[in-house]
Amino acid sequence: MHKAGFVNIVGNPNVGKSTLMNALVGERISIATFKAQTTRHRIMGIYNTDEMQIVFSDTPGVLKPNYKLQESMLNFSTSALTDADILLYVTDVVETPDKNNEFMAKVRQMTVPVLLLINKIDLTDQEKLVKLVEDWKELLPQAEIIPISAASKFNVDYVMKRIKELLPDSPPYFGKDQWTDKPARFFVNEIIREKILLYYDKEIPYSVEVAVEEFKEEAKKIHIRAVIYVERESQKGIIIGKQGKALKKVATEARRELERFFGKTIFLETYVKVDKDWRSSDKELRNFGYQLD
């Protein structure tokens, strides 16, 4: 009998959801960086064997939306509650259980299995961890609580074992050779955006979106032309940097990462354009692939 199901990963920003997803799927699918709000979309990673297919879904961190982009991000997180066969709720040892009561109330009503994963346990001691487990047990009595460290892969194997045991009987949802639901261009955007998150400070990364205007793939090489959109002229100057050095650094690092990702030689051209208020425009957000309804 074949097993298949949707395993959705939710939780607040910066608790390590993307690192966990990469550890479970074994592919570097979600860009994991040290800044909050890195994941803006719902990204699927598909784990295939002959007997089963697990469709993992990493979602943006749950947060109170301040503008349209964040509303879309919250939509992705909330929709993950409706179609999950198994829910992985990720928290960590720093976070208190009462951080997001509205979202928690929705999780409490779920009838599918919930695995509550307390991440980063290497940052605490046994006594505090025991107390944290008790607090969570009170808040989510139906959940199975598993302490983990996604970064050092501690207990990740056990989480995978439980997922396989809880997975429903079902034919596969995707082709067995597929490892994500996203097209190649999507990963180009994410990789360039990751480098921007790493190299620029303050609000710059959150004002940036990337669009791939050209993606020409040949047997051994790929030509890519990408546009980095910012909201203001001043941001454009910061992205390009003195004598274009900042942009050159981002492009070089992104190209190296893309070569690793696609296993081919990459020719990457990057341009910077100003698009005022893209974060608040329905039309622009739809063009960038955000879900607004």
Side-chain angles (χ1 to χ4, degrees), residues 18-134:
S18 298
T19 308
L20 174 69
M21 168 122 156
N22 291 331
L24 290 165
V25 182
E27 288 280 356
R28 193 187 166 289
I29 282 187
S30 296
I31 56 172
T33 73
F34 50 82
K35 298 197 182 187
Q37 289 185 52
T38 314
T39 305
R40 290 179 179 174
H41 296 264
R42 195 168 156 187
I43 302 169
M44 287 182 182
I46 303 164
Y47 173 93
N48 288 303
T49 68
D50 291 343
E51 304 81 50
M52 71 179 70
Q53 182 176 79
I54 308 171
V55 185
F56 287 103
S57 201
D58 185 14
T59 57
V62 177
L63 52 104
K64 291 257 187 304
N66 292 326
Y67 44 83
K68 277 248 165 73
L69 169 62
Q70 290 183 336
E71 279 172 30
S72 164
M73 286 158 67
L74 187 61
N75 286 344
F76 282 122
S77 301
T78 311
S79 72
L81 298 181
T82 55
D83 61 10
D85 292 303
I86 301 165
L87 190 78
L88 303 186
Y89 188 94
V90 185
T91 176
D92 65 17
V93 295
V94 184
E95 193 172 81
T96 55
D98 57 5
K99 185 169 175 187
N100 209 320
N101 292 327
E102 279 171 49
F103 194 77
M104 244 21 247
K106 290 178 181 157
V107 174
R108 255 201 306 277
Q109 289 163 6
M110 294 189 66
T111 52
V112 300
V114 177
L115 302 182
L116 184 113
L117 311 179
I118 302 175
N119 192 19
K120 307 180 190 174
I121 57 162
D122 38 334
L123 304 181
T124 190
D125 58 42
Q126 190 63 30
E127 201 179 319
K128 286 184 184 140
L129 185 60
V130 168
K131 170 82 176 77
L132 199 54
V133 169
E134 283 167 4

Side-chain angles (χ1 to χ4, degrees), residues 148-215:
I148 65 162
S149 168
S152 63
K153 294 198 165 62
F154 173 76
N155 251 358
V156 171
D157 285 351
Y158 179 72
V159 173
M160 194 63 162
K161 177 175 168 279
R162 290 298 294 130
I163 290 168
K164 288 174 178 178
E165 287 165 359
L166 294 165
L167 212 59
D169 291 338
S170 162
Y173 292 96
F174 296 92
K176 286 286 193 159
D177 57 347
Q178 234 182 303
W179 54 272
T180 181
D181 65 324
K182 294 281 186 245
R185 285 169 178 247
F186 175 83
F187 292 99
V188 176
N189 291 358
E190 293 291 278
I191 286 166
I192 294 171
R193 219 163 49 75
E194 177 191 33
K195 300 309 169 200
I196 292 167
L197 277 163
L198 292 169
Y199 291 129
Y200 298 93
D201 284 342
K202 307 197 171 64
E203 87 284 0
I204 287 287
Y206 307 111
S207 308
V208 162
E209 188 53 80
V210 180
V212 175
E213 295 206 330
E214 187 177 49
F215 186 95

Side-chain angles (χ1 to χ4, degrees), residues 206-246:
Y206 307 111
S207 308
V208 162
E209 188 53 80
V210 180
V212 175
E213 295 206 330
E214 187 177 49
F215 186 95
K216 276 192 190 152
E217 189 164 7
E218 294 168 30
K220 292 185 179 173
K221 57 189 178 190
I222 306 173
H223 288 262
I224 299 168
R225 188 171 68 242
V227 178
I228 297 166
Y229 286 98
V230 291
E231 293 188 305
R232 293 192 292 281
E233 281 295 336
S234 57
Q235 293 167 341
K236 182 177 176 178
I238 294 167
I239 290 279
I240 293 169
K242 218 173 184 168
Q243 296 166 328
K245 278 184 184 158

